[in-house]
């Protein structure tokens, strides 16, 4: 969420395209890693 906020602020302030693309890629990688962690983690439910 912090990366997305930084990206929004960078776009609002008119940052260079390289900064915007870099923040976007970092956000994408973080989101994919978080998704991978949650999909592969066991639930360990017992009823």
């Amino acid at each position: 969420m912090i990366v997305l906020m930084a990206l929004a602020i960078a776009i609002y302030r008119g940052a260079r395209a390289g900064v915007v693309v870099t923040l976007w890629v970092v956000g994408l990688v973080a989101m994919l890693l978080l998704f991978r962690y949650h999909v592969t983690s066991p639930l360990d439910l017992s009823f």
Side-chain angles (χ1 to χ4, degrees):
M1 296 305 279
I2 293 171
V3 175
L4 292 176
M5 184 63 151
L7 178 61
I9 292 170
I11 291 171
Y12 179 75
R13 291 189 177 179
R16 290 181 288 135
V19 173
V20 172
V21 170
T22 301
L23 284 173
W24 187 84
V25 169
V26 168
L28 178 67
V29 169
M31 185 261 321
L32 289 173
L33 288 173
L34 183 65
F35 180 75
R36 181 175 177 248
Y37 171 76
H38 281 291
V39 168
T40 58
S41 66
L43 292 176
D44 294 329
L45 299 176
S46 62
F47 296 102

